[in-house]
């Protein structure tokens, strides 16, 4: 078997095992709606994690995504309050998110700065801008937003999916296509494998590096839009710490944090595993919410150790 | 003159001085010190007291960054240490209405510090033995640590009533805050070890070129392990000061975002994030810059939310100043 597929296989097996555990242990767990809810409740996380996958594949990291989501919800709520057309508002926040990401990418690429620090400052900036707009939660009562929030797409058997969940699935599908059969995707993998060799191969390293952060910023803004559907409010404390969940989902999905190895499909399962942990804890009822964090930490440890094993005899990068 | 401006501490010190001058312009009584209730009293003392936990954490972070590492779990370790000490002290009211500690104070403090050091050792083992990237290795404890702290406290905020414990965060010794004495003596001890023993040279050589250091016979694995353990211990001490200051342990919010402030303080102080070049005094100045800025924003009556935007601007500025590419760009523009 292809060695590179092993982490992805482990992730999927783990997900199936957890689902089976839940099905045996708890009544009513094994229904289509429970699994669709995993997607519905984590739609924004899924979208953000897909963007993060590209960043991590290229060997970088983006800590600003949670703050960009919060800023998106704030700007959306403010624009709608001012009587903007909802679709114009969505388009504007998408462009703003992409521009924010591209600016970070430019700083990282042009001045050779550490992605960790640039996006950390980006996180401060975006969160701070939220507070500048308002420290209060701004409710959204736009009819279009409310209609989208309540819309249910039946998928048979009395189960249904929300528009947010559908967007998340579409993002995963598009991202898989970009990652595995486009020039951009190939260049991202090449940069993660070794930036100087990618450059020597004549690949467009500079523009791709900026593009990766642009994509992550756009995904964060899209995630923010989906979150406004979910929460119907703009609030500066939305999505605090979401960047950690997104990174965890990517790592649990089998993507190597050093870059160059991983699959977008793995990230989808990483998100679903984070979701199923919460669902299992909710079904159990006797476990407190902080067990989620401890279990996620343990899974992170497991996957990082697994990755070290796979890297095996390859020399450690300095 | 040139030697003076090229000193590592030149820019951090100038930044801090400018901030202090600006503060005293806005608030004429800013630099005033008075003697009240047997100790010094004033805005400056307040800043020093509040900056102490950040100083302690940042000193540990400086050494980790100096060996090309990073520890993003310090905030979670602060929460764990605060939870442990609050649980150990407990606090039951005796018949006379006096508050008693469940364990002797020194046992509680030592246990909390030992647990924090163990957290640091765990990080170090993942980095050195398992060969993980530092940011990944410490991410695990960052995610799980707060969960562990919440598990310890049962998700509640634990209030401490045992008054001798409050000395750490609120007490005064010889007119100065106890927390400042702790941070100061930690700095002095580290400074002595790093400048008077070979350890400082070893740390610099590991950060400069790990492979070369190893070949030259530096026991880099053992030293890196010690550095991470020390960073955990420092976070633990900060956790003691923080919980003593607020007289409680809040697993959810204690040390929130502290890892970012600590990294910022280290960077502001002039330590290179690429490892090798570090300055402990610079880090102390960096921590003071952050706290002075925070206090200034509060005292100006500007909404405290602006703080984050200012911090962001500061990080961008410092990063660009440290970037060789940016300096070249500016130098090129200046020549034209």
């Amino acid at each position: 078997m292809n060695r590179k597929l092993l982490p992805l296989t482990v992730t999927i097996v783990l997900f199936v095992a957890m689902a089976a555990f839940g099905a045996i242990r708890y009544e009513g767990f094994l229904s289509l709606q429970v699994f669709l809810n995993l997607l519905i409740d984590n739609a924004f996380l899924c979208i953000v994690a897909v963007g993060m996958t590209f960043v991590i594949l290229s060997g970088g990291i983006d800590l600003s995504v949670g703050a960009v989501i919060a800023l998106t919800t704030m700007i959306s709520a403010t624009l709608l309050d001012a009587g903007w057309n909802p679709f114009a508002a969505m388009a504007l926040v998408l462009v703003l998110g992409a521009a924010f990401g591209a600016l970070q990418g430019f700083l990282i690429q042009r001045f050779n700065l550490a992605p960790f620090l640039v996006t950390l400052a980006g996180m401060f900036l975006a969160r701070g801008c939220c507070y500048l707009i308002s420290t209060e939660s701004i409710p959204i009562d736009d009819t279009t937003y409310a209609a989208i929030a309540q819309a249910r797409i039946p998928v048979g058997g009395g189960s249904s999916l929300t528009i947010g969940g559908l967007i998340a699935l579409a993002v995963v599908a598009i991202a898989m296509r970009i990652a595995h059969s486009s020039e951009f995707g190939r260049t991202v993998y090449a940069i993660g494998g070794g930036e100087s060799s990618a450059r020597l191969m004549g690949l467009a390293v500079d523009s791709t590096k900026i593009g990766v952060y642009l994509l992550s910023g756009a995904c964060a803004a899209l995630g923010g839009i989906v979150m406004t559907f979910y929460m119907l409010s703009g609030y500066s404390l939305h999505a605090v710490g979401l960047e950690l969940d997104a990174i965890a989902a990517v790592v649990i999905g089998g993507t190597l944090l050093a870059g160059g190895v991983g699959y977008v499909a793995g990230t989808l399962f990483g998100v679903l595993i984070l979701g199923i942990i919460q669902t299992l804890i909710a079904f159990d009822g006797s476990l407190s919410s902080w067990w989620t964090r401890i279990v996620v930490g343990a899974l992170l440890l497991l996957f990082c150790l697994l990755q070290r094993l796979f890297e095996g005899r390859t020399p450690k990068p300095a | 003159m040139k030697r003076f401006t090229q000193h590592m501490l030149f820019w951090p010190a100038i930044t801090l001085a400018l901030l202090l001058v600006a503060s005293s312009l806005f608030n004429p009584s800013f630099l005033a010190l008075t003697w009240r209730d047997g100790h010094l009293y004033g805005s400056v003392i307040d800043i020093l007291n509040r900056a102490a936990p950040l100083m302690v954490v940042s000193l540990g972070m400086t050494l980790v960054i100096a060996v090309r590492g990073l520890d993003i779990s310090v905030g979670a370790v602060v929460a764990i240490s605060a939870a442990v000490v609050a649980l150990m002290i407990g606090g039951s009211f005796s018949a006379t209405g006096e508050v008693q500690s469940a364990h002797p104070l020194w046992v509680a403090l030592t246990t909390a510090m030992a647990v924090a050091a163990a957290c640091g050792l765990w990080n170090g083992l993942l980095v050195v033995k398992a060969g993980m990237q530092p940011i990944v290795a410490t991410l695990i404890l960052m995610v799980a640590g707060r969960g562990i702290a919440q598990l310890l406290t049962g998700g509640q905020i634990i209030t401490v009533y045992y008054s001798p414990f409050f000395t750490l965060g609120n007490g005064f010794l010889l007119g100065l805050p106890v927390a400042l004495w702790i941070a100061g003596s930690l700095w002095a001890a580290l400074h002595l070890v790093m400048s008077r023993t070979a350890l400082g040279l070893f740390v610099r050589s590991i950060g400069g070129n790990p492979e070369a250091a190893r070949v030259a016979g530096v026991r880099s694995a053992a030293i890196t392990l010690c550095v991470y353990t020390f960073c955990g211990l420092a976070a633990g001490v900060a956790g003691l000061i923080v919980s003593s200051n607020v007289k409680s342990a809040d697993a959810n919010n204690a040390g929130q975002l502290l890892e970012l402030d600590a990294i910022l303080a280290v960077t502001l102080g002039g330590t290179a994030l690429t490892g090798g070049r570090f300055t402990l005094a610079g880090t102390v100045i960096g921590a003071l810059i952050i706290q002075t800025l925070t206090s200034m924003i509060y005292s100006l009556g500007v909404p405290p939310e602006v703080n984050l935007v200012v911090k962001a601007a500061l990080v961008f500025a410092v990063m660009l100043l440290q970037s060789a590419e940016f300096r070249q760009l500016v130098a090129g523009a200046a020549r034209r």
Side-chain angles (χ1 to χ4, degrees), chain A residues 99-271:
Chain A
F100 191 87
L103 183 69
Q104 296 188 118
F106 173 76
L107 287 173
I108 292 166
Q109 190 277 319
R110 175 67 183 81
F111 299 117
N112 200 16
L113 301 176
F116 175 81
L117 271 180
V118 173
T119 55
L120 174 65
M123 167 182 160
F124 281 153
L125 186 64
R127 223 22 110 184
C129 289
C130 289
Y131 290 128
L132 285 183
I133 296 176
S134 169
T135 49
E136 305 287 314
S137 170
I138 306 175
I140 293 176
D141 39 22
D142 181 84
T143 47
T144 316
Y145 265 73
I148 296 176
Q150 278 156 14
R152 287 276 176 165
I153 298 126
V155 290
S159 313
S160 58
L161 200 58
T162 55
I163 303 231
L166 205 64
I167 295 178
L169 279 181
V171 166
V172 171
I174 296 169
M176 282 171 78
R177 174 135 185 91
I178 294 179
H180 306 306
S181 48
S182 80
E183 201 184 320
F184 176 79
R186 276 194 295 275
T187 314
V188 170
Y189 277 96
I191 295 175
E195 192 174 327
S196 40
S197 15
R199 214 178 280 277
L200 287 173
M201 282 156 74
L203 296 171
V205 171
D206 296 347
S207 60
T208 306
K209 264 181 101 174
I210 298 177
V212 159
Y213 289 92
L214 183 149
L215 187 71
S216 177
C219 280
L222 185 61
I225 294 176
V226 169
M227 190 174 225
T228 43
F229 295 154
Y230 192 73
M231 302 277 192
L232 281 181
S233 70
Y235 188 32
S236 34
L237 289 178
H238 274 334
V240 169
L242 191 88
E243 54 280 349
L244 289 183
D245 285 341
I247 297 171
V250 173
V251 174
I252 292 175
T255 298
L256 219 60
L257 260 156
V261 181
Y263 295 96
V264 176
T267 299
L268 174 64
F269 279 96
V271 171

Side-chain angles (χ1 to χ4, degrees), chain B residues 59-112:
Chain B
L59 284 172
M61 185 73 86
T62 310
L63 294 184
V64 170
I65 289 180
V67 295
R68 288 202 180 178
L70 198 62
D71 186 349
I72 55 172
S73 71
V74 285
V77 175
V78 163
I80 292 179
S81 149
V84 169
V85 81
L87 279 178
M88 293 282 288
I89 291 178
S92 50
F93 293 89
S94 68
T96 52
E98 229 175 281
V99 184
Q100 281 174 339
S101 171
H103 296 269
L105 189 59
W106 69 271
V107 175
L109 297 182
T110 321
T111 313

Side-chain angles (χ1 to χ4, degrees), chain B residues 246-257:
Chain B
V246 297
K247 303 176 183 176
S248 63
D250 179 353
N252 227 349
N253 292 313
Q256 192 74 266
L257 289 182

